[in-house]
Amino acid sequence: MTDYKTHEHDVLIIGAGGAGLRAAIEASAAGVSVGVVCKSLLGKAHTVMAEGGVAAALANVDDRDGWKVHFADTMRGGQYLNNWVMAELHAKEAPDRVRELEAWGALFDRTKDGRILQRNFGGHKYPRLAHVGDRTGLEMIRTLQDHGIHRGIEFYMEHTVTRLLKDGERVVGAFGYDRERGRFRVFRAGAVVLATGGIGRAYKITSNSWEYTGDGHSLAYHAGADLMDMEFVQFHPTGMVWPPSVRGILVTEGVRGEGGRLVNNRGERFMFNDIPDLYKNQTAKDAEEGWRYVTGDKSANRPPELLTRDHVARCIVREIKAGRGSPHGGVFLDIAWIKEKIPNAPEHIRKKLPSMYHQFKELAGVDITAEPMEVGPTTHYAMGGVRVDGVTQMSTVPGLFAAGEVAAGLHGANRLGGNSLSDLLVFGKRAGEHAAAWAKEHAAPAPVEGQVRDAAAAALAPFDRASGENPYTIQHDLQDMMQDKVGIVRTESDMASALDGLSALRRRSANTRVEGNREYNPGWHTALDLENLLTVSEAVARSALDRRESRGAHFREDHPSKSDEYARHNTVVSRASDGSMRLRREALAPIRDDLKVVIAENNA
Amino acid sequence: MPRATFRITRGSGESAAFKDYTTDVSEGMVVLDAVHQVQAESAPDLACRWNCKAGKCGSCSAEINGKPRLMCMTRLSDLDLSMRVIIEPLRAFPHVKDLVTDVSWNYRVKQRIRPFKPRKPDAPDGTWRMQQSDVDRVQEFRKCIECFLCQDVCHVLRDHHKHEEFAGPRHFVYAAALEMHPLDVEDRVGDLRGKDGIGYCNITKCCTKVCPEHITITDNAIIPLKERVVDEFYDPLTRLFRIFRPRKPEAGS
């Protein structure tokens, strides 16, 4: 008999970042009982790190903006592999979701006439990102948190879910443990919403914290759901590269939005050397036009630093590989140069980018108002994830929903900056609403004792072994391998060897041993997270191997161009009955005619 | 490679004790890196909280050589490594294990502070108009990352354990952010005087000194709130006027 405590809710939400909190608020507004499980303390999820802003076509700064332009920008950025239903809903609903935050107490920077100010960002045609300096994510998560705590939602802080519980085809709850005492918990729920964020910890250099081990991806996969677009992992072009201990920490795109330029060790502004055809007629001809754009001249085009993240990251890698990098293996990002253009530039920079100033000053000893930063690509975001219905966010498993980074579809092959914060608001709300509706009609049956027993036995296995490997070593080896073989530049042979490597790591992970007891034991938690990391890593490698072309964030050195053959499907993986990972190509749904027109108009 | 020794609190309750760990030190390392290294090399079950590693989430609060600080923002190059670096959990909260304490009290206190209540929208489309200067006034308070270092250092909590009667600096910053919010119409002054116990603060400014976000907690948040309490409850003229004062405007939805 397994010892555990049971909690019952209509809707169980796993994850308390922006998507989880927004889903919880919506579900509770529908009058159902809501539980939120989060791995860390409330308010610490990765949303807190988002800096630049939330994309919404409010048209406060440029009245030419509107949902159609935002939709077209998102589709273009995603290289048309996006779920267009989601892209349309997202573009139409984001403005309301942002205004709603203001009604809940969020304070955004203002325009002269007192409305929400918007800033430029990569891939967005007009200034579109509502922001608060460079700490927009903190403002958003705190607003949602402070609103949510008064809605009767039950929060389970520092709890981790290791398995979803099923009744036939339906998901009816989850099994997990509390960190503090290591006691088991069973959550019964009519509907479960995954809002667990990303998979960054599968890589060595990442902007993600320890939490982002692909839990939701893996939970859904093992419960029988489809994962889609897993080959598309966004490497943010600008992470810190020095000192070594901060390698990977994000440097906001807002630096480039405010005029920051990327320069190699010859002092060359190299982004002007390679502008993709899709963006030729939207990119500045020279530095002068680029500056006019970032200072609000509506007739100017954006500087090439504000091209999409996939492209900028590849250009940076090329400079570094060609020996034109900075001393610590990055390139230079210079915002200090704007002192040539405006008076009191240092003050302006500190005002517009306060946390970047703080971060570089305290962690690297660099004053960004006086000298350039060293930056390089860092694993940032998974475009791929749980395949969901665009309207309801329900996965291919009944009763299981997903929203935010863990869900796939909105971003296609590459996400635009600022579209993740709007994603989690728009689809967090939708997931909460539809999960509540589902739960009202589907009560949770009692959990199947056998599933609980299996989950408990699996969780305790690392304690039972007399000898075995340190889980940290396996995690580090996995991260090194993924970085090396399934990173920004990919080849067939590297990825095939990565799949062999993953099999070997899987054998090792079945033989971990942890020291100590169940109370707040990070070694144990690391051992349990390995299964998730291995699952998502395999999904990324298999999907990337199958896509023999380069598109968006996925770059194949052996197939460097886009191919029409691959333009018409998404890559989907799921668990076969023998437990192996099965891959299939799922044809894109034909896009609605009126949306085709919108895209054509905006590409003209 | 140079090495350094870290004296870290291990265990929980009565059995908690210091244990020394020696590990390699490289350029640019912060205390949190050293703790992680110790975890991976010799103490896999060493408990500590962390998330962003960039001073933005406020998870890795600890006392380093006796000072409340974020482990991720404390560079080893700023410490004297010829001596052992002492790393202890926060003291104002119940100890759980190693470097982890039970900070749930903070979440309970926050929940009892009256939430944001906006005035009626300014425009027919349900939106508000605010000036940047109005927004700027409270940004300092909204920068708070809830690391609870200010709570840890405050003697009212740390030494006098007035957790039941005193909300602590973090929550005065939170109350100030709401009270000075350009749209908010709620009145929290009575609560501040009553159940939040703002009177216990005797302005020693320890909280301001430890704030990693450099929020001027005492001068900009607590003192103005204390002034509001005085104006509302102790100023004889105001007390007289209050009898005749019109009610605050009704809140919007």
Side-chain angles (χ1 to χ4, degrees):
Chain A
M1 179 70 190
T2 312
D3 192 20
Y4 60 86
K5 198 171 169 189
T6 304
H7 305 277
E8 280 187 52
H9 293 285
D10 295 314
V11 175
L12 179 73
I13 291 162
I14 307 175
L21 289 171
R22 188 62 191 81
I25 290 168
E26 200 62 22
S28 79
V32 301
S33 130
V34 181
V36 177
V37 176
C38 51
K39 268 171 113 173
S40 285
L41 296 172
L42 194 53
K44 309 298 185 191
H46 220 271
T47 305
V48 94
M49 290 290 283
E51 291 156 353
V54 46
L58 297 159
N60 286 353
V61 171
D62 194 318
D63 57 16
R64 292 172 296 180
D65 204 6
W67 77 264
K68 290 178 178 174
V69 193
H70 193 182
F71 168 77
D73 285 350
T74 302
M75 293 296 289
R76 187 190 304 111
Q79 306 268 339
Y80 304 104
L81 291 189
N82 324 52
N83 176 336
W84 52 266
V85 176
M86 289 172 78
E88 183 191 11
L89 290 171
H90 169 254
K92 283 181 170 167
E93 293 175 6
D96 278 346
R97 296 289 81 77
V98 170
R99 286 191 279 261
E100 180 177 75
L101 284 183
E102 191 155 272
W104 296 344
L107 280 173
F108 294 102
D109 284 346
R110 315 309 292 184
T111 61
K112 289 225 160 26
D113 65 350
R115 294 184 297 165
I116 295 172
L117 182 61
Q118 299 181 274
R119 71 156 48 121
N120 288 310
F121 234 57
H124 293 282
K125 190 167 185 185
Y126 301 119
R128 188 175 287 148
L129 269 67
H131 61 278
V132 196
D134 56 359
R135 54 160 200 82
T136 314
L138 173 66
E139 185 73 14
M140 277 182 53
I141 198 166
R142 204 64 86 227
T143 301
L144 293 169
Q145 173 190 345
D146 295 348
H147 187 72
I149 57 175
H150 298 286
R151 317 281 304 178
I153 300 161
E154 187 86 33
F155 291 99
Y156 301 90
M157 296 200 288
E158 299 195 305
H159 282 59
T160 302
V161 168
T162 63
R163 203 169 281 196
L164 296 176
L165 302 173
K166 288 181 76 178
D167 177 36
E169 285 307 299
R170 250 184 84 196
V171 163
V172 293
F175 173 89
Y177 61 88
D178 74 272
R179 278 183 116 60
E180 188 176 323
R181 298 278 171 237
R183 287 167 301 207
F184 292 134
R185 306 291 180 119
V186 167
F187 299 93
R188 289 176 60 182
V192 173
V193 179
L194 298 171
T196 52
I199 65 163
R201 280 329 256 191
Y203 289 83
K204 183 179 168 189
I205 300 172
T206 176
S207 62
N208 293 186
S209 84
W210 68 271
E211 296 191 285
Y212 299 91
T213 48
D215 296 10
H217 294 77
S218 176
L219 290 169
Y221 170 83
H222 288 288
D226 286 347
L227 301 183
M228 187 173 87
D229 293 339
M230 291 299 287
E231 66 271 39
F232 299 112
V233 176
Q234 180 167 80
F235 299 92
H236 193 289
T238 58
M240 292 177 83
V241 298
W242 192 92
S245 68
V246 298
R247 194 167 185 127
I249 292 176
L250 200 64
V251 179
T252 176
E253 192 166 320
V255 176
R256 285 168 281 146
E258 297 296 337
R261 58 187 186 188
L262 289 164
V263 180
N264 63 21
N265 67 12
R266 296 174 185 172
E268 197 185 357
R269 197 166 167 184
F270 58 86
M271 287 305 301
F272 274 106
N273 302 340
D274 179 3
I275 295 161
D277 290 342
L278 212 52
Y279 287 92
K280 278 242 157 74
N281 61 359
Q282 297 188 6
T283 307
K285 293 183 303 296
D286 50 30
E288 197 49 46
E289 186 180 353
W291 174 251
R292 284 197 283 117
Y293 176 87
V294 298
T295 48
D297 180 342
K298 291 184 182 178
S299 67
N301 282 313
R302 69 175 81 120
E305 278 86 357
L306 291 178
L307 285 163
T308 53
R309 289 175 172 178
D310 53 335
H311 180 74
V312 179
R314 274 195 299 279
C315 290
I316 291 174
V317 170
R318 192 175 52 212
E319 292 303 305
I320 298 167
K321 281 197 172 165
R324 295 190 291 267
S326 65
H328 299 99
V331 294
F332 297 106
L333 172 61
D334 185 11
I335 182 72
W337 80 278
I338 66 170
K339 60 179 176 272
E340 295 166 20
K341 295 285 185 186
I342 55 170
N344 60 40
E347 195 188 315
H348 177 79
I349 295 167
R350 278 196 297 270
K351 170 114 177 60
K352 285 291 182 181
L353 303 161
S355 57
M356 281 303 104
Y357 174 77
H358 190 65
Q359 183 174 316
F360 272 89
K361 192 91 183 154
E362 302 210 3
L363 291 172
V366 168
D367 178 356
I368 67 167
T369 68
E371 50 193 323
M373 298 158 250
E374 277 188 73
V375 296
T378 179
T379 313
H380 185 52
Y381 189 89
M383 270 71 72
V386 180
R387 184 169 169 237
V388 292
D389 175 83
V391 176
T392 64
Q393 298 296 104
M394 179 134 79
S395 73
T396 47
V397 173
L400 181 65
F401 299 74
E405 187 173 354
V406 69
L410 172 61
H411 310 294
N414 179 53
R415 174 176 72 80
L416 300 183
N419 268 4
S420 62
L421 291 185
S422 42
D423 172 8
L424 55 82
L425 293 174
V426 169
F427 295 105
K429 176 186 183 286
R430 285 188 161 268
E433 181 184 328
H434 290 281
W438 171 272
K440 280 180 182 170
E441 289 175 6
H442 299 81
V448 180
E449 201 57 43
Q451 291 181 36
V452 173
R453 206 166 43 234
D454 287 354
L460 292 176
F463 286 110
D464 297 339
R465 298 184 189 106
S467 66
E469 212 178 336
N470 178 343
Y472 291 100
T473 314
I474 301 174
Q475 195 195 56
H476 290 166
D477 291 352
L478 170 78
Q479 291 166 338
D480 281 344
M481 194 192 72
M482 288 299 286
Q483 187 77 35
D484 200 34
K485 296 187 190 297
V486 201
I488 302 180
V489 177
R490 300 165 172 177
T491 65
E492 186 103 12
S493 56
D494 273 355
M495 287 187 291
S497 102
L499 284 169
D500 290 341
L502 285 169
S503 307
L505 285 163
R506 191 172 279 285
R507 283 192 296 277
R508 286 168 63 191
S509 86
N511 193 32
T512 51
R513 182 178 180 279
V514 298
E515 288 174 29
N517 58 31
R518 283 161 69 174
E519 291 183 15
Y520 219 113
N521 185 339
W524 181 37
H525 308 150
T526 302
L528 295 182
D529 289 344
L530 279 176
E531 170 58 38
N532 303 333
L533 283 174
L534 286 162
T535 300
V536 294
S537 297
E538 185 181 345
V540 172
R542 282 200 191 284
S543 305
L545 191 61
D546 190 66
R547 186 169 284 279
R548 291 177 184 82
E549 66 155 355
S550 293
R551 180 182 297 271
H554 171 66
F555 184 75
R556 290 279 300 254
E557 205 169 27
D558 45 357
H559 300 280
S561 311
K562 262 193 285 197
S563 137
D564 286 344
E565 184 195 342
Y566 288 89
R568 292 186 282 268
H569 69 264
N570 297 109
T571 314
V572 174
V573 295
S574 59
R575 193 167 182 271
S577 49
D578 65 354
S580 66
M581 190 174 282
R582 189 182 52 177
L583 183 142
R584 66 180 200 275
R585 297 172 178 179
E586 191 80 28
L588 296 174
I591 188 162
R592 227 171 52 220
D593 286 342
D594 60 313
L595 295 177
K596 266 187 208 161
V597 174
V598 169
I599 290 172
E601 279 169 2
N602 280 282
N603 278 344
Chain B
M1 194 173 273
R3 289 169 75 78
T5 299
F6 298 85
R7 171 164 280 196
I8 303 174
T9 304
R10 293 304 312 272
S12 52
E14 294 291 300
S15 66
F18 282 127
K19 199 167 171 199
D20 288 356
Y21 299 91
T22 302
T23 190
D24 290 341
V25 169
S26 58
E27 199 178 3
M29 256 172 84
V30 293
V31 169
L32 184 61
D33 293 318
V35 169
H36 282 159
Q37 229 164 270
V38 166
Q39 230 176 25
E41 290 166 1
S42 50
D45 60 340
L46 166 57
C48 78
R49 286 198 180 100
W50 71 283
N51 283 82
C52 78
K53 221 176 163 295
K56 294 202 175 91
C57 75
S59 299
C60 62
S61 305
E63 300 200 358
I64 300 164
N65 289 340
K67 290 199 181 109
R69 303 182 72 162
L70 295 178
M71 292 194 282
C72 73
M73 297 302 278
T74 307
R75 297 179 79 181
L76 293 184
S77 56
D78 295 336
L79 302 173
D80 179 1
L81 297 183
S82 67
M83 303 203 297
R84 279 179 291 232
V85 176
I86 299 170
I87 314 174
E88 297 168 87
L90 301 183
R91 290 192 193 173
F93 311 112
H95 190 205
V96 172
K97 184 192 161 192
D98 304 341
L99 298 176
V100 174
T101 54
D102 177 2
V103 295
S104 58
W105 169 80
N106 291 287
Y107 291 87
R108 290 194 296 276
V109 174
K110 189 184 215 183
Q111 201 166 7
R112 73 170 196 231
I113 293 171
R114 288 168 200 258
F116 174 69
K117 187 166 143 191
R119 68 175 184 235
K120 278 186 178 149
D122 303 327
D125 65 354
T127 60
W128 289 271
R129 299 291 176 269
M130 285 175 262
Q131 289 310 303
Q132 184 66 36
S133 55
D134 296 328
V135 171
D136 286 343
R137 197 163 45 237
V138 289
Q139 287 308 356
E140 180 185 8
F141 308 134
R142 301 183 69 87
K143 281 196 307 191
C144 172
I145 57 175
E146 301 198 327
C147 64
F148 308 128
L149 291 175
C150 57
Q151 309 283 70
D152 182 53
V153 80
C154 176
H155 66 101
V156 181
L157 298 169
R158 186 187 182 94
D159 301 324
H160 303 290
H161 312 291
K162 296 283 185 194
H163 294 72
E164 293 306 312
E165 300 157 66
F166 182 67
R170 157 60 192 138
H171 297 110
F172 296 133
V173 168
Y174 178 57
L178 291 166
E179 283 288 298
M180 300 179 208
H181 191 295
L183 304 184
D184 184 77
V185 294
E186 184 59 272
D187 183 356
R188 297 168 191 81
V189 177
D191 287 348
L192 284 165
R193 172 178 175 251
K195 61 185 174 187
D196 297 338
I198 198 168
Y200 277 116
C201 168
N202 56 349
I203 320 183
T204 53
K205 301 198 182 187
C206 307
C207 50
T208 304
K209 280 194 201 107
V210 301
C211 178
E213 282 293 315
H214 310 295
I215 302 170
T216 316
I217 302 173
T218 323
D219 290 358
N220 292 353
I222 298 180
I223 292 176
L225 291 179
K226 277 175 172 277
E227 284 168 354
R228 289 184 186 206
V229 170
V230 169
D231 286 350
E232 184 139 347
F233 291 97
Y234 301 105
D235 182 277
L237 270 178
T238 313
R239 287 174 88 169
L240 198 62
F241 282 134
R242 199 169 53 210
I243 299 165
F244 305 103
R245 189 177 63 180
R247 296 196 70 83
K248 283 205 165 205
E250 282 300 302
S253 56

